[in-house]
Every structure is written in structure tokens, then in C-alpha cells.
Amino acid sequence: MKLFGTDGVRGKAGEKLSANTAMRLAMAAGIYFRESSTTNKILVGKDTRKSGYMIETAIVAGLTAVGYNVLQIGPMPTPAVAFLTENMRCDAGIMISASHNPFYDNGIKFFDANGDKLQESIEAEIEKIYFDDELIANAQQTMEKIGANKRIDDVIGRYIVQIKNSFPKRYTLKNLRVVLDVANGACYKVAPTIFSELGADVIVLNDEPNGSNINQNCGALHPEMLADEVKRLRADIGFAFDGDADRLVVVDESGSIVHGDALLGTLAVFLNEQKMLKGGGVVSTVMSNAVLDDYLGKHKLKLFRANVGDKYVLEMMKNEGINFGGEQSGHVIFGDFAKTGDGLVTAMQVTAMLLNKGKKASEIFNEIKPYPQILLNLKITEKKPLDKIAGLEELKQELIKDGIRPLFRYSGTENLIRLLLEGKNQAKLEKRMMEVEKFFTKVLA
């Protein structure tokens, strides 16, 4: 597809994602959702990027032009938009955010009436409408059929209640010191409010968004500041969110950054102990460390691996009847509480686990120590189908026999192939990576 990527439409604001593009995309989406409309309402939220004003205005113009009424809720986390779309009985939801990207990028993510991210087939339909000049022209309304927009400022309370309901009522946070890095992003209000209302001693970092400081040397992409503050303040735990709060990075009381697979594994076992895990397994991605397979196996749980992207994780969760999954990057999906990765739901469950076990965070998370990995991004001149490269399957089988897990995949945006080797012997990995690099240089560079 020309517009849609792995998570909506994303690009540099004012260039790939211009006001014209946003308006026309909103028109196309409105035309598509009109086919199954029940309320004629679409919800629009955004993060704290300056370009959000431009794109939001363009989206409102596009939707109202084709007859839709728009509910604008201002800066809110992506998972809040997913929840509120269903909760407020809207035909669809739109989140304006480029997630963890720098401030100069922006993006548009769509949710259906159930709060689910769109399937690729639906994105393809919307893109097809986008490029149909005649259909776009004929769909524009006049007179009383033009839509209206309404700004709603009090929906934050609904989302706060939803998040607090995911936290066991038998626990209180009043003896817990928590440091939150909200990344100057979409959860800068909601995260401190939730933790304070539950009784925690809360210290908040990076909660003064100015339109251009979102994710800037802070949050889930740069948790080093959080790690230092957790240790300095002798806090029990630290949580770092990304710009739209669908991702979470955890820091234990010693100031150590918790590996994403350790987060997934310990939470999965905790849920299973609480009889809250469905399907006897967990869904992660091909990027997860093999230690996660081994750790879950010891607890008689199975690991399913999906393609990279939380929507693929969710799709496999549904197919396998599983209610928990995520990515090692910090996108964690609790199917009973959210339709997408939700950093705040994850933080609530981590906190519940700490209180339930009565242990320090480091004691819990250090049960999982990832095996060594080497990742190499190799520049290439062409992207040949991997299954057509002579000798590649034999190379992979050799590595597997040598106790090494190989993963080779092309970048979706650059002329790169990402080469990952994982095993228990670092020296062996380094030696075999030289062979792998030489192989791909010969066939692709």
C-alpha cells in the first residue's frame, strides 16, 4: 500500500502527512465507515505534537465534509481512544500520533466501532477510496447534511475509571513510591492522576509538553533519566511511557531497566497463578528472546510468535483464544482490559504483581535473563524474496543445529536487511555472524 504502513499512516508532518493528505484520508475513511454507520459519530484524539493542531483540523474538515459528526477529545493516550470509541458508541475512532517517533513526525491510526485496529483489507479499501477522485467529489455533502464537530473535555474520567477497574480492589498503593516518566506526551495528565488516586507517593518527570519535546531524551525510548531518578529517590519502581502511552518500559528499584521479555514472562506467569490467563499461552513476536520460550515452558505455558506489530499480536491472540500478549519493545496487551497495547494497564498489572508477591521488583524480573543476541543491519541493493535465495535455508538449518536461533528480515522503510542471531555462547554468535554477513553481502549487496 502507498499510504498505510504497519500502524496506520505515518510520516513527516507537512510533507508526507500534509493537511491535504489528512483531510482527504479523513474523507475516504468517512466514506468507508458510512457503509456500516449506526451513530454517525467519529471520535478524534491526539498526542501533544504541535502538528496535531493542523492534522486534527484537517481531519475534522474531511469528516464533516462527507457528513460525519466529530467528537474531539484532545490529548489522550492511543488506548484511551480505542476504549472511548466503543464506550461512546462511535462508528470509528482516529488517533493522531506518531507514537515513539520524533516530534516532527505524525501519524493517523484508525479504530473500528469495537475499538479494534483495522485489518489490512480495510486499510486497503480506505486507500482505494482515497485515490478515487470521482468518489471523493460525489461524497461531499451540502446544506444540512454537512457534519458538525463538538469538543468534549471530560472523557478523561471515563478512561481513568476503566484503568482503575483493571487494578485489584484489595490492594492500595499508599506504601509505594513510584516515579513516572510521561515523555511530555499523551498521558501527562492521566498517569499521575491514576497513581495518586490509588494512594501512591508519585514523582513525575517530563510532564510539560510544549509541542516539540515529546519523546525528547525521555520516556520509553530514553529511560536512563528515569533509572537515575528511581535509584536517587529510593523508589520502589519506575514506569516510562512513550508519546501516545501504548508502550511501557519498567525500571526496578535498583535502577535497572527491565528487559521486555522479562516483563512479558513474569506477567504471564502471574496471570496464570491468578487464574486470569486464558488459552494456556502467550503471544509475542519473532523478536522475543528464546529465554521466554524456556521460562514459559517451565511453567507449562506455550509461546506463540507473531509478526512484528501489536496488531499482528492481537490477531493471533484472537485466533488462539489467548488474552495476553505483547512485544519486547513494551507494547503489552491485556485482552480483558484493553483492545491494544496500553502502558497504563500494564503498569497497573506490574504494580499488582509486586504487591501480591511481596518482593522487590528486581527479585521478580531477574528470574529471566535473556540469552545473548547480535543484531546487524546490513545495507543492500535489492530485496530478493528470502525463500528464493539459494543456500539460505541450509544456512539457517546449520545455525539451528549449532544451538543458534536465526532471524532474517527486511526493513519495511529502508534498503536494509536485519540479521539477528541468538544463542547461549557469545563467542560462537560473533563467529557465526561474520559468516552470515559474508553470505548476505554476496547475494544482496
Side-chain angles (χ1 to χ4, degrees), residues 41 43 71 73 76 80 83-90 152-165 190 194:
K41 295 187 299 184
L43 187 84
L71 303 179
I73 62 171
M76 288 288 278
F83 163 70
L84 291 166
T85 296
E86 181 181 32
N87 184 260
M88 298 178 72
R89 306 296 191 270
C90 295
I152 304 176
D153 295 318
D154 60 355
V155 293
I156 189 173
R158 294 193 192 205
Y159 181 58
I160 288 172
V161 169
Q162 169 73 0
I163 297 297
K164 287 168 68 177
N165 284 342
V190 66
I194 290 170

Side-chain angles (χ1 to χ4, degrees), residues 413-431:
T413 56
E414 302 173 86
N415 276 343
L416 294 174
I417 186 166
R418 306 193 192 282
L419 309 174
L420 174 70
L421 296 184
E422 174 186 289
K424 297 181 180 180
N425 186 305
Q426 180 72 27
K428 186 187 290 186
L429 288 179
E430 291 173 2
K431 180 182 177 184

Side-chain angles (χ1 to χ4, degrees), residues 277-343:
L277 188 68
K278 298 172 185 173
V282 177
V283 178
S284 185
T285 73
V286 292
M287 296 300 292
S288 274
N289 195 284
V291 74
L292 185 57
D293 294 88
D294 295 345
Y295 181 79
L296 293 174
K298 288 178 185 175
H299 293 86
K300 296 181 170 56
L301 297 174
K302 186 175 180 182
L303 179 65
F304 297 83
R305 291 180 182 268
N307 289 329
V308 175
D310 63 342
K311 70 177 180 181
Y312 300 115
V313 172
L314 184 59
E315 183 180 335
M316 186 172 284
M317 286 169 59
K318 290 178 179 177
N319 291 340
E320 300 293 339
I322 291 171
N323 65 339
F324 178 72
E327 300 182 275
Q328 64 174 199
S329 61
H331 287 118
V332 183
I333 304 172
F334 291 85
D336 291 348
F337 304 121
K339 297 294 185 73
T340 184
D342 191 324

Side-chain angles (χ1 to χ4, degrees), residues 13 32 54 62 143 159 219 246 273 276 284 311 375 395-396 403:
Y32 175 83
M54 172 188 76
M143 301 181 71
Y159 181 58
D246 64 352
E273 290 170 350
M276 293 172 62
S284 185
K311 70 177 180 181
L375 176 63
L395 175 61
K396 289 168 71 173

Side-chain angles (χ1 to χ4, degrees), residues 353-373:
M353 179 172 65
L354 286 183
L355 296 173
N356 176 271
K357 294 184 177 296
K359 295 181 179 179
K360 292 181 178 180
S362 59
E363 294 178 80
I364 296 172
F365 294 119
N366 285 344
E367 290 182 11
I368 302 178
K369 296 189 182 298
Y371 302 141
Q373 287 183 338

